[in-house]
Amino acid sequence: DGGITQSPKYLFRKEGQNVTLSCEQNLNHDAMYWYRQDPGQGLRLIYYSQIVNDFQKGDIAEGYSVSREKKESFPLTVTSAQKNPTAFYLCASSLRTGLSLAKNIQYFGAGTRLSVL
Amino acid sequence: GQQVMQIPQYQHVQEGEDFTTYCNSSTTLSNIQWYKQRPGGHPVFLIQLVKSGEVKKQKRLTFQFGEAKKNSSLHITATQTTDVGTYFCAGLEGGSEKLVFGKGTKLTVNP
């Protein structure tokens, strides 16, 4: 909460269209994450990044792409290859994973709800 | 890969009743975290447990981490309508970079 901004709040995608979800943080956090949430489901990790210009696939990366050109920004593109994109997308950040257990507490943005027209 | 199972998926209680949600991992965890997501909102960090057998309290909420560091529970005493939401556990496996979330327990409280 506070310091992580996701936009837009609602987004509609047409068939065959790529759309990009924005995530910006001013917490000076190293690590950033994208999750997908479907009704009745938990949070499924799409991509994560621990450092600028580096990112790793999560559990459900197919049909998505990301970039990490700046520490504070981690945009997610939902490509036309993602056939079932309707979901709630959450971006999160943390100081850093692994190095210190106290530093991997995740702070979430308010989310983007993506629907297909 | 690591899996975190959380039960029950849903829980309906009368205001004033107690509530417990349980989290079980297929592997030993370095730590376990609990998050709360209010209806229409986003997950918010509640607490982190690190030590085997650890117990922490936050007012009416009691969190436990099992001796084997493979399970955890969240207990709410005398629920209130403000407790409504979905509670998620999330575990970090030793040497892993990724938190693995349970599917959550959705709590509804009837006034």
Side-chain angles (χ1 to χ4, degrees), chain B residues 14-88:
Chain B
Q14 288 294 130
E15 190 171 20
E17 291 182 341
D18 292 357
F19 159 76
T20 305
T21 173
Y22 301 90
C23 192
N24 290 286
S25 170
S26 55
T27 58
T28 302
L29 301 170
S30 296
N31 69 354
I32 192 133
Q33 299 176 0
W34 286 91
Y35 293 79
K36 177 182 179 180
Q37 184 176 21
R38 294 182 185 276
H42 58 277
V44 175
F45 173 78
L46 293 176
I47 206 162
Q48 175 168 263
L49 304 172
V50 177
K51 299 177 183 177
S52 170
E54 189 170 13
V55 178
K56 287 189 176 181
K57 292 189 176 184
Q58 289 180 349
K59 297 183 180 178
R60 295 176 295 103
L61 278 61
T62 301
F63 304 83
Q64 293 188 327
F65 199 11
E67 294 289 343
K69 300 184 76 173
K70 296 179 74 172
N71 58 75
S72 181
S73 65
L74 158 59
H75 180 81
I76 302 178
T77 303
T79 55
Q80 299 176 359
T81 54
T82 53
D83 295 325
V84 164
T86 301
Y87 293 84
F88 293 98

Side-chain angles (χ1 to χ4, degrees), chain A residues 1 33 35 37 40-43 45 48 50 56-57 59 88 90 97-98 101-102 104-106 108-110 113, chain B residues 9-10 30-31 33 35 37 40-45 48 50 86 88 92 96-104:
Chain A
D1 196 11
Y33 314 82
Y35 292 93
Q37 187 175 35
Q41 299 293 318
L43 303 175
L45 183 64
Y48 67 103
Q50 291 187 295
Q56 284 77 41
K57 292 182 179 180
D59 301 316
F88 187 44
L90 287 159
T97 60
L101 294 178
N104 60 30
I105 295 167
Q106 296 192 7
F108 287 82
R113 293 191 184 277
Chain B
Q9 188 173 0
Y10 303 96
S30 296
N31 69 354
Q33 299 176 0
Y35 293 79
Q37 184 176 21
H42 58 277
V44 175
F45 173 78
Q48 175 168 263
V50 177
T86 301
F88 293 98
L92 187 68
S96 173
E97 302 170 332
K98 302 181 295 182
L99 270 181
V100 177
F101 283 82
K103 291 190 175 183

Side-chain angles (χ1 to χ4, degrees), chain A residues 21-78:
Chain A
L21 284 60
S22 171
C23 179
E24 303 275 334
Q25 54 99 358
N26 61 5
L27 301 169
N28 199 32
H29 283 174
D30 294 306
M32 297 186 75
Y33 314 82
W34 274 105
Y35 292 93
R36 170 177 171 146
Q37 187 175 35
D38 295 281
Q41 299 293 318
L43 303 175
R44 294 187 290 170
L45 183 64
I46 305 173
Y47 269 98
Y48 67 103
S49 168
Q50 291 187 295
I51 196 169
V52 174
N53 292 322
D54 188 44
F55 49 83
Q56 284 77 41
K57 292 182 179 180
D59 301 316
I60 55 165
E62 186 174 351
Y64 300 97
S65 66
V66 293
S67 63
R68 187 88 186 275
E69 297 177 1
K70 298 185 297 182
K71 185 176 184 177
E72 57 270 22
S73 179
F74 192 40
L76 173 74
T77 296
V78 184

